[in-house]
Amino acid sequence: MAAQINPSILSADFARLADEAKAVEGADWLHVDVMDNHFVPNLTLGVPVVESLARATDTPLDCHLMIEAPDRWAPQYVEAGASSVTFHVEAAAAPVRLAREIRAKGARASMALKPATPIEPYEDLLPELDMLLIMTVEPGFGGQAFLDIMLPKIRRTRELISKHGLELWLQVDGGVSAATIERCADAGADVFVAGSAVYGASDPAEAVRVLRNQAEGATAKASWACDH
Ligand code: DX5
Ligand code: ZN
């Protein structure tokens, strides 16, 4: 699969979301960070804003729910128009049931791991998912420094995906930029969230193109992608 770049609107101007979505129309997905001030110490937006944004753009929405009780709320984001919904495993009461419900409602189901959450206990759950998100910062804020110590986890997750022959996308989120995206791609990521690196650039669409080229160049040289 070609590298996908998902700009995070957390770093966009929230008063001009429709325009900010248009500014990155060449992107694969728009990453929408939902924070409830409980699971993370920050508050962003909810179902009504996702509904409006889905009407305002043709770019599919990748909703990253940093909220408590995702079992209760995640299905509503599918109904609001999200094409992919990510819940945090640390917050989910029944991740398998929730992933099945998201898929049954017609969206891609994705599960996120905070930096201190290991992948190994979830190996058997991977076939239930369309994407796994490895956080490369502590969730809650844009503009934080990339955590290099997550690279081994990305590598081990890619090995599990290969071992089981899964079509699972591997997303990284947090501190992804021109300075770090190649290391992520080399370790095995194929979906890249970038907030400040895209919306902090003078030309966000160009920033997406540059990141995509870098990711594809690094993937082409990566050992994990050799047999694809
Ligand atoms: C952080 C969010 C990220 C955030 C990334 O908790 O999940 O999606 O927007 O921002 P950058 O790319 O600036 O680290
Ligand atoms: Zn995010």
Side-chain angles (χ1 to χ4, degrees):
M1 192 193 70
Q4 303 190 67
I5 308 294
N6 302 9
S8 167
I9 57 161
L10 186 63
S11 295
D13 179 351
F14 272 32
R16 300 172 41 252
L17 281 185
D19 292 340
E20 295 281 66
K22 285 198 180 67
V24 293
E25 247 161 17
D28 299 279
W29 296 77
L30 211 53
H31 184 83
V32 180
D33 288 302
V34 176
M35 304 185 188
D36 67 351
N37 202 30
H38 291 273
F39 183 71
V40 289
N42 198 2
L43 185 65
T44 55
L45 51 87
V47 170
V49 175
V50 170
E51 239 165 34
S52 298
L53 196 56
R55 280 197 298 269
T57 179
D58 292 332
T59 309
L61 303 184
D62 159 35
C63 276
H64 175 194
L65 305 182
M66 285 161 277
I67 60 173
E68 297 289 1
D71 305 73
R72 176 171 170 205
W73 298 108
Q76 292 189 33
Y77 286 88
V78 184
E79 288 160 16
S83 301
S84 175
V85 175
T86 300
F87 59 87
H88 268 267
V89 69
E90 303 88 355
V96 174
R97 187 167 64 213
L98 181 54
R100 289 184 179 184
E101 198 180 341
I102 292 168
R103 279 178 160 178
K105 283 192 170 289
R108 296 177 59 88
S110 162
M111 192 172 87
L113 309 181
K114 290 168 73 173
T117 305
I119 181 61
E120 283 74 15
Y122 305 108
E123 179 173 352
D124 294 339
L125 266 63
L126 297 181
E128 300 288 336
L129 303 169
D130 297 298
M131 184 166 80
L132 190 95
L133 164 53
I134 294 184
M135 290 304 300
T136 41
V137 297
E138 289 291 354
F141 301 93
Q144 301 180 75
F146 179 80
L147 291 174
D148 274 296
I149 53 168
M150 291 298 106
L151 290 168
K153 182 157 78 176
I154 299 169
R155 239 172 250 290
R156 292 197 306 273
T157 305
R158 174 53 64 187
E159 280 165 17
L160 293 177
I161 294 170
S162 301
K163 172 177 150 196
H164 294 286
L166 300 170
E167 291 289 327
L168 182 70
W169 296 354
L170 181 49
Q171 184 178 60
V172 284
D173 180 10
V176 176
S177 70
T180 57
I181 195 166
E182 288 165 335
R183 273 176 279 162
C184 295
D186 178 64
D190 54 8
V191 184
F192 306 86
V193 176
S196 46
V198 169
Y199 282 107
S202 52
D203 182 346
E206 175 63 9
V208 169
R209 281 190 290 273
V210 169
L211 288 171
R212 192 196 307 285
N213 284 342
Q214 281 187 287
E216 289 187 343
T219 303
K221 284 187 244 150
S223 55
W224 67 267
C226 276
D227 47 12
H228 288 275

